Amino acid sequence: MADEKKLVKLPHNVILEDRKLLNITGVLDIDSFDEICVNLLTDMGQLSVKGSDLHINKLSVETGELIIEGDIHSLIYSDDMPKGTSLFSRIFR
């Protein structure tokens, strides 16, 4: 049998320092970004980071870490998936 990769759920943490530096772990994908909004998919659902002069300083696909710098105004989670729907079933539709 071929070796199967085990899916490991990354821990999801959000650390905001002085509303200027945002460190997020558990990031799976970035949907879109510009200077006023970064939309990303995390282990805990869709997350929108809104602000001004936003810049992505670090993105690590291997560790799921994202660092955003700028004037951060809001963090908004949205749960668009129905109950019982796994993250992978949404990704592989």
Side-chain angles (χ1 to χ4, degrees):
M1 284 187 159
D3 291 338
E4 294 181 21
K5 292 183 181 178
K6 291 185 179 182
L7 299 175
V8 178
K9 186 173 181 180
L10 301 172
H12 178 64
N13 295 306
V14 177
I15 301 170
L16 178 61
E17 298 177 22
D18 299 326
R19 292 182 60 185
K20 299 280 184 197
L21 185 65
L22 181 64
N23 188 339
I24 305 171
T25 60
V27 175
L28 302 174
D29 192 18
I30 295 180
D31 292 334
S32 64
F33 65 93
D34 57 27
E35 290 185 350
I36 59 171
C37 186
V38 178
N39 292 312
L40 51 117
L41 182 62
T42 71
D43 284 336
M44 302 302 290
Q46 187 77 26
L47 175 61
S48 294
V49 179
K50 296 185 179 181
S52 59
D53 297 324
L54 299 179
H55 302 282
I56 295 177
N57 283 352
K58 177 182 179 184
L59 171 61
S60 174
V61 177
E62 293 83 24
T63 63
E65 183 179 6
L66 174 67
I67 297 176
I68 300 173
E69 192 173 330
D71 296 320
I72 298 165
H73 302 162
S74 68
L75 304 170
I76 303 168
Y77 283 94
S78 62
D79 293 327
D80 294 335
M81 63 181 164
K83 295 287 184 190
T85 304
S86 72
L87 173 65
F88 292 103
S89 66
R90 286 192 314 148
I91 291 174
F92 297 110
R93 289 190 247 185

